[in-house]
Amino acid sequence: MKTISIVTPCYNEELNVEECYAAIKALFETELKEYRREHIFCDNSSSDRTVEILREIAANDKDVKVIVNARNFGALRSNYNGVMAATGDAVLLLMPADLQDPPALVPQFVKLWEEGYEVVYGIRKIREENATMRFLRGLYYRLLTSLSELHAPPGVGDFQLVDRKVVDAMRHIEDAYPFMRMMTFECGFKAVGVPYRWVERRRGVSKHTLGLLVDQGMNGLVTFTLAPLRMVLFAGFVIAALALAYALVNFVLGLVYYRTLAAPGIVTIITAVFFFGGVQLFSIGILAEYTLAIYSQVRRKPVVFERERINF
């Protein structure tokens, strides 16, 4: 009997973990009854009753495993650590505790996996969220996929079922801040996408604040593309060329119109100083992001520190 591993990261999800557990268990008692279930919950040091509830579930179901982190290491690191702990023949990288990605698609993912696809990824075709966030997410993923050398359609998240060989390949990527949704495409292998509707959260409050989303977004750009550095390089050439052209125009105007080589206005100087100052700060910021990524990588810390494991 083959094993399908399901990984669910959670942080203060006392209102959702029981329903998530029940939904996955129901699938393996009906459509996926020919497979063994391994459901791994990765708790990111919750401050509510999440861990207590998970202990009760694990005590009554040995197919449920729990990893409790020593502190909050962030959703991406916690999720990745759970995937690395999975032992299944295929691993669902993320089943959110709030079920925004639909469990009903898992049997279809498994069927495609059995047909020979080693990466079956969901594509968030429709998003149940406000128009502003939908636009910003779409813009970001179009930017990421267009600048990266990897081919990944917009709307791809961590809701992916991958073969054991893909997980083993991911293990060789020593990344201090793993961005799994692109990591599977970096590994390669035969892949297929399944479009679906990403539903809004029904209970509880999303832990993905604006600051956290920006942090994860910058991590994806820095990790999987050198385009920002090259854009700064090309922008420098363009701005320098425009500055030379502007200086030449002012030189000609000074000789022909003003009959003098002295600059007639101060506004131009002030504007130029602030403009180039802004360009320099922007460029330094881009370099700083890559420097921080290098700094985090060379420190070679564990992805997370665990407090305990249950049912392993």
Side-chain angles (χ1 to χ4, degrees), residues 56-289:
E56 295 173 0
I57 293 173
N60 297 311
D61 190 342
K62 297 305 178 183
D63 289 332
V64 173
K65 301 179 179 181
V66 182
I67 300 175
V68 182
N69 294 340
R71 65 172 177 84
N72 189 336
F73 288 90
L76 298 186
R77 294 185 180 94
S78 182
N79 192 182
Y80 177 79
N81 185 56
V83 170
M84 292 299 102
T87 62
D89 299 285
V91 180
L92 187 71
L93 301 183
L94 169 68
M95 171 50 64
D98 56 18
L99 302 181
Q100 288 187 280
D101 297 311
L105 276 182
V106 176
Q108 184 179 352
F109 281 18
V110 172
K111 181 180 178 182
L112 289 168
W113 169 64
E114 289 285 15
E115 291 176 2
Y117 292 100
E118 293 145 321
V119 178
V120 184
Y121 55 88
I123 302 174
R124 295 166 179 171
K125 203 72 174 178
I126 301 174
R127 292 177 177 270
E128 293 184 3
E129 60 183 345
N130 66 72
T132 302
M133 286 302 300
R134 189 162 55 246
F135 170 76
L136 291 175
R137 288 183 195 270
L139 180 64
Y140 169 75
Y141 283 112
R142 282 194 295 271
L143 178 66
L144 176 62
T145 53
S146 62
L147 295 179
S148 173
E149 63 182 15
L150 305 176
H151 174 68
V156 173
D158 292 328
F159 189 47
Q160 305 180 32
L161 181 74
V162 302
D163 189 82
R164 165 52 51 186
K165 66 180 70 172
V166 180
V167 176
D168 291 338
M170 292 167 60
R171 199 182 302 276
H172 293 291
I173 303 176
E174 298 181 359
D175 198 335
Y177 199 171
F179 196 66
M180 285 195 301
R181 65 194 61 184
M182 295 294 288
M183 194 180 290
T184 52
F185 293 95
E186 185 175 25
C187 294
F189 298 101
K190 187 178 180 182
V192 63
V194 178
Y196 69 96
R197 174 187 290 269
W198 188 71
V199 300
E200 64 179 354
R201 173 183 275 262
R202 307 301 182 190
R203 289 186 300 275
V205 179
S206 174
K207 314 308 182 296
H208 289 82
T209 62
L210 180 60
L212 181 59
L213 290 175
V214 171
D215 180 60
Q216 294 178 359
M218 288 302 300
N219 173 54
L221 284 174
V222 170
T223 303
F224 289 98
T225 175
L226 295 176
L229 287 176
R230 290 171 180 165
M231 288 170 62
V232 169
L233 175 64
F234 291 136
F237 280 120
V238 171
I239 292 172
L242 291 175
L244 288 174
Y246 182 74
L248 181 60
V249 169
N250 274 279
F251 178 76
V252 173
L253 289 176
L255 287 178
V256 175
Y257 185 76
Y258 298 108
R259 304 289 182 178
T260 178
L261 294 179
I266 302 300
V267 176
T268 301
I269 297 176
I270 296 175
T271 302
V273 169
F274 277 97
F275 174 72
F276 284 108
V279 170
Q280 289 173 343
L281 288 175
F282 176 77
S283 303
I284 292 171
I286 294 292
L287 292 173
E289 287 292 333

